[in-house]
Amino acid sequence: MDAILSVFSFIQGLGVSVMMPILLTILGCCFGAGFGKSLRAGLTVGIGFIGLNLVINSLLGTTLAPAASDMVARFGLSLTTVDVGWPAAAAIAMGSNVGMLIIPLGLVVNIVMLLTNTTQTVDVDIWDYWHFAFTGALVAIVTDNIMMGFAAAIINMIIIMVLGDYTAPLVEESLSMPGVSLPHGFTTAYAPIAMLFNWILDKIPGIRDIDVNTDMLQEKFGVFGEPMIIGTVIGLVIGVLAGYDVTGVLQLAVSLGAVLVLIPRMASLLMEGLLPVSDAASDFVEKRFSNRGKIYIGLDSAVGVGHPVTLAISFVLVPLCIFLAVLLPGNTVLPFADLAVIPWMFVLITPCVHNNGFRGIIIGIIVLAIGLYIATDLAPLITTAAANVQFDMGGAAQISSICDGANPLTWVIVRASSFLGIAGLGITGVIAIILALWNRKRILKEAAELHEAEAAEESAN
C-alpha cells in the first residue's frame, strides 16, 4: 500500500504541465491518433497550461488580489475567520486519510461510470480530485467514520461527473471548446444555482430582456467595447478604490487589460492540442461503441477562465466580494488568499446565462453571498481538518476558504451527513445514483438519435 501511495504521490507532484502531456499522449495512442500526433497534442496542452498559469499567477494573482486586499486595509475592514486559500485547502484535503487514496479511487469511479454509460467524460484532471477528498475529509470528521468519508467523496464525484456531461454542450457553444467538459469539483458545483436563477430571471418582465455581452459592447462602442479596453477601465476603477498612486493605477489597469487578451490566447493553445485527441476519441467511440454517444475530455476549469464575460464579471465582483463579506450579517470570513480564484466560480455561470454579463453579475452576487455563508458555516470543520493533518494555521483561531470552503455541493453532503448521519449520506447517495441513471438514459437517447441521423444521411446519399 505504501508503494502504491508513493506512486500516486509522485504523479501528483509532477503537476499538470508534465502529467497532461503524458496522459494525453497515452490516450491519443489508445484512441488511434498515432504516437507523433498524440505527443504533439499532449505537449501543446502542457505548454498551454504553463502559459495559462503564468498569466493567472503573474497577473491575476499579483495584481487583482493585492488590489482588493489594499481596499480591505484602506476601508478598515476586519472579520475573524482567515481565508487561507485553495493551496491550503488542497493540502488539507490531500493530507487527510481520504486524500491519500483519492486519485486511484477517482480513476476507478470514472472507469466504472464510463463502462456503465453513466458518464461521457474521460476525466484526465486527476489533480483536482482533491475537491472530492475535501468533502470526504469533512464528512469523516462529522461522522467520525472514514468509510463514510470515502463514500462522500465518491458521491461528490458522481454528481460532478453528471453535471460535467450535462453542461458540456454549453461549454462547447459558449467557450468554443468542442469535445471538452469541465467536471471540476468547485466550478461545476455552481452550475445548478446558475441554471435555477437564470430560469427565474427568464420569468421577470423587463429583466429578461436585458442582455449585456462583449459582442454587443463591441458593436455599440467599437474599440472601446473590446475586452482589453473593458479590462483596462475596470483596472482603473479598482486602482482608485484601492488608493493607489497614478503609477499603480495605470499599471493595474494595463495588467487587467492584458489578462483579458492573454488568457483567451492560452486557452486557444490548449484547444489546439486537445482537438486531435478529442477527434480521435469521437472516431474511436463511433466505430466501436455506437451506443455510447459522444465522449468528452474532462479538464480543469482554468481553460474557461479566459472568456471575456467571465473575466469582466470577476473584475467587478472580486472587490464587491469584500464589501459583501462585511455587509452580510452573520458572515465571519474575510476573503483574502482566494480572491484570485473567484473567476473559477463563474466559468460555468457564463455558459449557463448564455454569455449575458448582466445576468452573470446578478447571479454572481447571489453565488458569492451563498458561498460566504457556507464558508462561515464550514469554518470550524475546516479548522479541525487542518489540525488533523498538522497544517500550520499561522496562529489563526479559525480558518476557511472560498475554494472549497464555499462549495455548495460540499456543504449539502457534509450537512446531510452531520444532521442525519448515515441516513443523510444515504439520501445524497440515492440522489447521485438517480442522477447517474438519468444521465445514462440521456446518453443512450443521444447516441440513438445520432445513429439514426447518420443512417438517414447514408440512405440519402
Side-chain angles (χ1 to χ4, degrees):
M1 181 59 70
D2 288 341
I4 294 172
L5 290 177
S6 296
V7 169
F8 283 107
S9 177
F10 172 74
I11 291 173
Q12 183 188 357
L14 290 175
V16 65
S17 60
V18 174
M19 278 306 299
M20 191 62 79
I22 296 173
L23 284 174
L24 288 177
T25 300
I26 294 172
L27 277 177
C29 290
C30 290
F31 290 137
F35 177 75
K37 193 174 182 180
S38 301
L39 178 62
R40 184 184 184 282
L43 287 173
T44 302
V45 171
I47 292 167
F49 267 108
I50 289 175
L52 195 62
N53 287 329
L54 282 173
V55 175
I56 291 171
N57 294 331
S58 299
L59 292 178
L60 273 183
T62 61
T63 56
L64 183 59
S69 299
D70 288 339
M71 287 172 57
V72 173
R74 188 182 184 203
F75 290 98
L77 309 178
S78 62
L79 292 164
T80 57
T81 301
V82 177
D83 168 21
V84 293
W86 76 264
I92 292 167
M94 297 305 282
S96 69
N97 291 330
V98 177
M100 287 189 293
L101 289 173
I102 194 60
I103 291 179
L105 184 63
L107 291 172
V108 169
V109 170
N110 194 185
I111 291 170
V112 170
M113 291 187 73
L114 286 167
L115 292 175
T116 56
N117 262 352
T118 50
T119 189
Q120 297 168 277
T121 295
V122 180
D123 188 3
V124 298
D125 184 26
I126 61 175
W127 300 270
D128 280 320
Y129 287 3
W130 75 262
H131 297 283
F132 312 132
F134 188 86
T135 302
L138 297 188
V139 169
I141 290 172
V142 298
T143 62
D144 195 24
N145 188 321
I146 184 61
M147 297 310 297
M148 288 182 68
F150 282 117
I154 293 171
I155 290 167
N156 192 346
M157 183 172 183
I158 290 172
I159 294 173
I160 289 296
M161 293 295 288
V162 173
L163 289 172
D165 287 347
Y166 185 72
T167 55
L170 293 174
V171 170
E172 289 187 312
E173 176 190 354
S174 174
L175 304 179
S176 301
M177 293 184 175
V180 169
S181 67
L182 303 178
H184 190 270
F186 177 61
T187 297
T188 311
Y190 293 99
I193 299 176
M195 293 175 192
L196 171 63
F197 283 99
N198 189 58
W199 177 82
I200 292 172
L201 291 173
D202 270 335
K203 307 300 179 184
I204 304 175
I207 298 293
R208 64 188 175 200
D209 299 321
I210 300 175
D211 186 3
V212 179
N213 57 64
T214 51
D215 292 337
M216 181 271 288
L217 290 174
Q218 283 188 243
E219 184 180 333
K220 285 194 173 184
F221 300 104
V223 67
F224 295 102
E226 292 184 7
M228 71 172 71
I229 304 297
I230 295 171
T232 301
V233 171
I234 294 173
L236 288 171
V237 174
I238 294 175
V240 170
L241 290 175
Y244 287 1
D245 58 20
V246 174
T247 301
V249 169
L250 294 176
Q251 288 177 340
L252 179 63
V254 174
S255 294
L256 294 191
V259 167
L260 281 176
V261 173
L262 294 177
I263 289 184
R265 300 281 174 89
M266 294 302 103
S268 66
L269 187 62
L270 280 167
M271 287 313 305
E272 179 187 334
L274 280 171
L275 279 175
V277 177
S278 177
D279 290 342
S282 298
D283 293 340
F284 181 87
V285 171
E286 184 179 344
K287 290 177 182 177
R288 293 169 177 81
F289 307 101
S290 59
N291 68 325
R292 290 185 182 270
K294 190 170 184 176
I295 287 291
Y296 298 106
I297 305 297
L299 294 180
D300 188 324
S301 56
V303 300
V305 168
H307 193 285
V309 172
T310 299
L311 284 174
I313 292 170
S314 302
F315 291 168
V316 171
L317 292 181
V318 164
L320 185 59
C321 179
I322 296 170
F323 291 104
L324 273 176
V326 176
L327 295 174
L328 291 173
N331 171 64
T332 66
V333 178
L334 178 64
F336 178 70
D338 262 347
L339 285 171
V341 302
I342 284 179
W344 271 253
M345 298 175 76
F346 308 126
V347 170
L348 277 180
I349 291 176
T350 296
C352 287
V353 299
H354 304 288
N355 303 342
N356 187 330
F358 171 76
R359 291 193 181 192
I361 289 176
I362 298 299
I363 294 174
I365 292 172
I366 295 169
V367 162
L368 285 174
I370 292 171
L372 287 169
Y373 279 126
I374 290 173
T376 295
D377 183 60
L378 293 181
L381 290 177
I382 296 171
T383 305
T384 301
N388 287 348
V389 298
Q390 299 179 331
F391 177 81
D392 184 4
M393 293 184 284
Q398 189 165 262
I399 64 171
S400 190
S401 67
I402 302 301
C403 176
D404 251 15
N407 189 318
L409 181 56
T410 293
W411 183 82
V412 169
I413 296 173
V414 170
R415 285 309 173 199
S417 304
S418 170
F419 296 145
L420 301 174
I422 193 169
L425 189 63
I427 291 170
T428 58
V430 169
I431 292 172
I433 292 171
I434 291 172
L435 286 173
L437 293 175
W438 169 82
N439 200 36
R440 171 183 165 83
K441 183 178 180 180
R442 183 191 60 80
I443 291 169
L444 295 177
K445 181 182 178 182
E446 177 186 295
E449 290 174 349
L450 181 63
H451 186 67
E452 288 176 5
E454 290 174 348
E457 185 178 347
E458 288 179 6
S459 298
N461 294 333

